[in-house]
Amino acid sequence: MNDIDRSLLEAVASLHEIPQGAYNIRKDGQSEARNSTDEIRIIPKEGVDGIEIHIAPGTVNQSVHIPVILAKSGIQESVVNDFYIGEGSDVLIVAGCGIHNSGSEDSAHSGVHTFYVGKGAHVKYVEKHYGQGEGTGSRIMNPTTAVYLEEGATMEMDMTQIRGIDSTNRETTIHVGKGAEAVLTERLLTHGTQKAESKVDIFLDGEDSTARILSRSVGQDDSEQVFFPCMTGNDKCFGHVQCDSIIMGNAKISSIPAIRANCTDAQLIHEAAIGKIAGDQLLKLMTLGLTEEEAEEHILNGFLK
């Protein structure tokens, strides 16, 4: 791999070299490197571009890395990945996609991920999107994610769009079973004329199921963002939706949370806030010797953590 490949892998998966354990690294439309372990098997799908990840029941303290990098201008791909997580497992899955576009053609990645999480299993899923390159071609990401949680399962999802993605349309659907829990944290930064739309639907289907959505976003320059989080309670459950955004320049941000109760024992809460950086925060940091630009960057970095 060259320096561009390494910089993309570091940005989206915190990888400085080929990882230990199970991994599938995809580059420019094809598998660059793949490894399975006794507990985690990665198998190419038949008839469609993508892979299956099978995690054996009881697998703990293990991880699987499946980053995607596009370093050639003009590549447009669609990938379908299915995850089967066995009962009682406790694993980390690190995904993410980085695009380097230095040409005039658009580069795009559409990833469709489906997770089947067995009883009592715990999954932490980390996904980062990042774009770079001085070309005039766009960098486009359109991820679609579906999650099915069996009884007592837990799914923690940390989904971040760092910088450099010109257009994104994200769709996430989660079905939460009896006593199961879903926690989704989404962080988004747009700048320039970038556009981002995110739609999240969580269905609390089982008794004593819980879910939380936390969205934090920053819109700069002339960028546009739209966020549609929806929580539906179909049984005795608890759900909380929180959307916080900082707006700067001429950006436009829409946050449209919704909650729907189909059971008298469903307890659902939503809250949303959009505002600019407070002047007293900037002033306080500037009195410590930071420039206004440095103070803004410091505040934004803390907000998006």
Side-chain angles (χ1 to χ4, degrees), residues 12 28 39 61 63 110 117 136 183 223 269 289:
V12 302
D28 294 334
E39 294 83 8
N61 299 324
S63 62
S110 296
V117 186
T136 57
V183 180
S223 64
I269 303 167

Side-chain angles (χ1 to χ4, degrees), residues 1 7 15-16 58 95 116 122 135 146 185 190 198 217 226 249 260 282:
M1 290 191 175
S7 69
L15 291 177
H16 303 283
Y116 302 93
H122 175 267
T185 302
T190 56
S198 178
S217 72
V226 184
R260 298 180 179 135
L282 286 173

Side-chain angles (χ1 to χ4, degrees), residues 220-232:
Q220 298 177 322
D221 306 320
D222 296 298
S223 64
E224 298 180 18
Q225 300 178 11
V226 184
F227 187 45
F228 298 97
C230 181
M231 192 88 69
T232 301

Side-chain angles (χ1 to χ4, degrees), residues 2-268:
N2 56 36
D3 290 341
I4 290 175
D5 298 337
R6 292 188 184 93
S7 69
L8 292 175
L9 283 175
E10 182 177 357
V12 302
S14 300
L15 291 177
H16 303 283
E17 58 186 16
I18 298 297
Q20 298 294 317
Y23 59 82
N24 186 86
I25 298 175
R26 184 179 177 90
K27 176 185 175 182
D28 294 334
Q30 56 187 310
S31 179
E32 179 78 5
R34 179 183 298 143
N35 186 61
S36 295
T37 66
D38 292 339
E39 294 83 8
I40 302 176
R41 294 183 297 117
I42 302 176
I43 305 168
K45 292 182 71 68
E46 294 185 5
V48 64
D49 204 0
I51 55 177
E52 293 182 0
I53 297 93
H54 294 263
I55 299 176
T59 300
V60 297
N61 299 324
Q62 294 197 39
S63 62
V64 55
H65 290 75
I66 55 165
V68 174
I69 56 176
L70 301 181
K72 293 181 179 178
S73 182
I75 291 182
Q76 300 191 25
E77 64 173 6
S78 180
V79 179
V80 178
N81 296 333
D82 294 334
F83 302 77
Y84 300 90
I85 295 95
E87 293 185 14
S89 298
D90 190 346
V91 294
L92 169 66
I93 300 174
V94 181
C97 180
I99 297 178
H100 179 94
N101 193 345
S102 57
S104 58
E105 298 181 85
D106 293 349
S107 295
H109 174 78
S110 296
V112 179
H113 289 182
T114 304
F115 296 84
Y116 302 93
V117 186
K119 290 183 179 180
H122 175 267
V123 178
K124 182 170 184 180
Y125 176 70
V126 179
E127 178 185 274
K128 293 182 180 179
H129 289 167
Y130 170 70
Q132 64 180 32
E134 300 303 321
T136 57
S138 294
R139 296 169 291 272
I140 302 167
M141 300 274 194
N142 293 318
T144 301
T145 305
V147 179
Y148 300 90
L149 298 176
E150 293 188 18
E151 182 177 347
T154 302
M155 183 79 165
E156 296 180 61
M157 307 179 72
D158 193 335
M159 307 167 90
T160 304
Q161 183 166 303
I162 309 167
R163 271 190 179 274
I165 303 302
D166 297 299
S167 174
T168 188
N169 191 332
R170 179 191 299 275
E171 295 188 7
T172 305
T173 304
I174 305 175
H175 290 267
V176 188
K178 180 179 179 180
E181 180 181 24
V183 180
L184 186 151
T185 302
E186 186 170 270
R187 301 176 178 89
L188 173 66
L189 173 66
T190 56
H191 55 92
T193 58
Q194 296 171 353
K195 291 179 172 60
E197 182 173 310
S198 178
K199 181 180 180 182
V200 178
D201 281 303
I202 296 184
F203 299 91
L204 295 161
D205 297 325
E207 183 181 4
D208 295 324
S209 56
T210 62
R212 293 174 176 82
I213 300 173
L214 173 60
S215 170
R216 288 192 171 180
S217 72
V218 176
Q220 298 177 322
D221 306 320
D222 296 298
S223 64
E224 298 180 18
Q225 300 178 11
V226 184
F227 187 45
F228 298 97
C230 181
M231 192 88 69
T232 301
N234 293 321
D235 206 324
K236 177 187 175 184
C237 61
F238 174 82
H240 183 209
V241 181
Q242 180 178 341
C243 310
D244 296 319
S245 300
I246 292 177
I247 188 167
M248 305 173 69
N250 298 312
K252 297 178 182 178
I253 299 177
S254 297
S255 184
I256 311 168
I259 49 178
R260 298 180 179 135
N262 297 322
C263 174
T264 56
D265 291 321
Q267 182 181 357
L268 306 174

